[in-house]
Amino acid sequence: MTINLTVNQRLNSNLFPVGVATSSFQIEGARDGREASIWDTFCATPGAVKDGSDGNIACDHFHRWQDDIELVSLLGFDAYRFSVSWPRIIKACGSVNQAGLAFYVDLLKALKDKGLKAYVTLYHWDLPQYLEDKGGWPNRDTALAFADYVDVVSKAFNGYVDCYATLNEPFCSAYLGYEIGVHAPGKVGKQFGKKAAHHLLLAHGMAMQILRRNAPDVTSGIVLNFTPYYASTDSEADAAAAKLAHDHHNDWYVKPVLTGCYPDILHTLPENEKPDIHDGDLALINAPMDYLGVNYYTRSFVTSCNNDGFSILPPAADTPVSAMGWEIFPNALRDLLLQLHRDYDLPPVQITENGMACDDALINGEVADPVRVQYLQDHMNAVAEAMEAGVDVTAYFVWSLLDNFEWAEGYLKRFGIVYVDYDTQQRIPKRSALALQRWLTRRKASNGEM
Ligand code: FCB
């Protein structure tokens, strides 16, 4: 059965780029061509990654990138979002790994040749281990090291990049990595989380300064993840708990970036959990951006509790969920965009990640993923509704091009629109990829491009 995507007219303009996203550690492999990252160390920690896997080979994209880019182009996308591996660029001794840099420059040239827009993320969680050894993100010096790395990269990529993201999801780096320890580097302690978050945001601010100097014409900003939090009952206590979850997990990142202040909860934190904020930090963090990247997957319900003041609940039994166990609820994406639009003086917004994991199976050479097709259609239409209501959304990216290393889940969860057979490294476009291809082809034709 062929399923066609029916997407709102607003996303049908060829001026609205539709792309696919990936990240370095999740697909590249070629471990021998770079320094160790915190994710290599985490993978080697027994029990840290569910299937005990690592990123040594992953999708072997480092050796297969030409075919992968060809696929992005064949599927009809306008843009490709990928990340640069910091440990592939800066060696532990501080010198530049020219071969690592050349890999990305070649990739960028190929994107340009194919008429694909290049959306480059400078940090998608793979911190060099040699920096973690000096304290990682809770150490302010890591932000300075990031600025040096961004300087090298943005000079070398001059003329090839359409859009830069300084960081991907600093919430995940800081909270999952340094506060609850379910991601690399696996540190646990409230005394690390907000300190790490502040230095990540500082790194973003410093990187923006460098990008303005080295790449003044390139659209630059940050990518944040948002989980909209809903109160589990209509009690006042649960409403307050939902607000608290929002302040800690969403607003802690977007508010300083857009306004130069942290949420008021800053003042209620115990002294040892407070970030070390120096004079001038917040002005840097609040540097004007050309866009805000929004990653959205799901929403969560919250209840009040004595410990942290809020507790996040798993979806109720009868709720539609993805293979990650995340609720499928497209309206929350529309409402999130409307809320951001109400709360802030927003720059243009890009949806930089959206997608779902399914229990995909390769049967007779095909992968039928109708639930993913529906998910993508419904979420794109939720974006269109937000645009209708006045939110300036300027791009949409599907996560992900390929099945890949899904962090602490290893290779157990498949987010790709293209199936990867890890034994042969064969790529098989799923029905969702083919549905997107048909829609994008129709879109090009109706815009007179074909
Ligand atoms: C996001 C990450 C991305 C991927 C998706 C499923 O939080 O940015 O790397 O793991 O979730």
Side-chain angles (χ1 to χ4, degrees):
M1 188 185 54
T2 305
I3 307 178
N4 283 318
L5 279 170
T6 310
V7 179
N8 184 292
Q9 204 50 36
R10 291 214 164 237
L11 269 59
N12 267 324
S13 154
N14 55 350
L15 297 176
F16 185 94
V18 174
V20 264
T22 63
S23 89
S24 48
F25 191 86
Q26 294 181 276
I27 64 165
E28 283 180 4
R31 165 70 187 84
D32 51 356
R34 58 165 175 77
E35 297 286 354
S37 85
I38 53 174
W39 273 94
D40 297 301
T41 313
F42 193 69
C43 290
T45 310
V49 172
K50 285 223 177 93
D51 59 357
S53 63
D54 57 41
N56 291 351
I57 297 175
C59 303
D60 196 30
H61 170 77
F62 188 85
H63 300 112
R64 296 167 192 266
W65 65 271
Q66 276 147 315
D67 291 347
D68 290 340
I69 296 313
E70 180 63 28
L71 195 53
V72 176
S73 170
L74 275 175
L75 291 175
F77 289 104
D78 308 301
Y80 178 54
R81 174 176 179 244
F82 67 97
S83 80
V84 178
S85 161
W86 185 355
R88 203 180 284 290
I89 303 292
I90 309 289
K91 296 188 193 172
C93 62
S95 69
V96 174
N97 174 359
Q98 294 299 339
L101 212 46
F103 166 70
Y104 295 108
V105 172
D106 288 348
L107 178 75
L108 287 165
K109 285 184 180 160
L111 292 174
K112 220 181 187 63
D113 286 348
K114 295 199 177 299
L116 289 164
K117 290 189 193 319
Y119 283 60
V120 175
T121 301
L122 293 162
Y123 183 71
H124 198 126
W125 308 356
D126 41 0
L127 183 71
Q129 180 63 41
Y130 60 80
L131 291 177
E132 180 56 32
D133 295 342
K134 293 184 187 157
W137 284 111
N139 178 356
R140 188 178 173 94
D141 291 344
T142 301
L144 302 170
F146 182 67
D148 292 341
Y149 150 73
V150 171
D151 189 45
V152 169
V153 168
S154 52
K155 279 181 179 146
F157 291 4
N158 187 22
Y160 293 111
V161 176
D162 292 280
C163 178
Y164 275 117
T166 53
L167 306 178
N168 179 72
E169 304 189 349
F171 160 81
C172 295
S173 302
Y175 179 76
L176 303 181
Y178 290 92
E179 192 164 325
I180 62 167
V182 298
H183 275 190
K187 284 214 167 167
V188 180
K190 283 182 183 287
Q191 70 277 27
F192 306 125
K194 294 274 195 292
K195 283 190 180 59
H198 181 67
H199 296 144
L200 279 151
L201 293 174
L202 185 63
H204 154 74
M206 291 176 167
M208 284 300 293
Q209 246 183 358
I210 289 167
L211 293 174
R212 293 314 191 196
R213 197 173 62 220
N214 293 350
D217 301 331
V218 178
T219 305
S220 295
I222 193 170
V223 169
L224 302 178
N225 59 300
F226 292 87
T227 303
Y229 292 107
Y230 290 68
S232 57
T233 70
D234 52 15
S235 75
E236 262 176 43
D238 286 340
K243 165 83 168 70
L244 199 57
H246 176 72
D247 285 350
H248 277 282
H249 293 180
N250 298 327
D251 238 16
W252 190 265
Y253 301 86
V254 68
K255 189 166 183 189
V257 162
L258 293 180
T259 70
C261 318
Y262 280 110
D264 290 341
I265 49 164
L266 170 67
H267 309 295
T268 62
L269 293 175
E271 273 319 302
N272 72 331
E273 292 176 23
K274 283 188 177 157
D276 299 320
I277 305 173
H278 294 195
D279 281 352
D281 284 2
L282 282 157
L284 260 181
I285 291 171
N286 178 218
M289 299 191 301
D290 300 319
Y291 78 99
L292 171 70
V294 170
N295 291 355
Y296 172 84
Y297 290 91
T298 189
R299 68 163 172 179
S300 284
F301 282 95
V302 173
T303 183
S304 73
C305 78
N306 289 335
N307 275 349
D308 288 334
F310 67 92
S311 147
I312 296 168
L313 302 173
D318 52 352
T319 310
V321 294
S322 72
M324 294 293 280
W326 298 347
E327 182 182 357
I328 300 173
F329 193 70
N331 282 349
L333 174 54
R334 178 199 61 206
D335 294 346
L336 164 70
L337 294 171
L338 293 176
Q339 185 186 348
L340 287 170
H341 184 55
R342 266 195 314 273
D343 289 354
Y344 295 107
D345 185 10
L346 280 184
V349 170
Q350 297 175 10
I351 308 303
T352 33
E353 282 179 31
N354 179 231
M356 71 177 291
C358 301
D359 293 323
D360 297 314
L362 181 62
I363 298 168
N364 299 329
E366 289 188 66
V367 182
D369 57 346
V371 181
R372 183 179 284 112
V373 176
Q374 191 71 45
Y375 179 102
L376 295 174
Q377 172 173 302
D378 292 348
H379 284 76
M380 283 195 272
N381 287 331
V383 172
E385 281 177 36
M387 291 164 79
E388 210 78 53
V391 187
D392 183 14
V393 184
T394 56
Y396 174 89
F397 287 82
V398 177
W399 182 271
S400 180
L401 172 65
L402 303 170
D403 292 335
N404 57 46
F405 175 80
E406 177 47 35
W407 309 113
E409 302 288 329
Y411 297 95
L412 298 175
K413 303 293 179 209
R414 293 182 177 271
F415 271 93
I417 53 167
V418 173
Y419 185 90
V420 176
D421 177 335
Y422 293 111
D423 293 332
T424 61
Q425 290 294 348
Q426 206 194 337
R427 276 71 162 137
I428 300 120
K430 302 177 190 177
R431 294 268 177 87
S432 55
L434 302 176
L436 283 159
Q437 185 186 37
R438 282 192 299 278
W439 169 55
L440 291 166
T441 307
R442 285 201 303 277
R443 199 175 80 136
K444 285 200 175 84
S446 68
N447 284 304
E449 280 181 51
M450 298 179 85

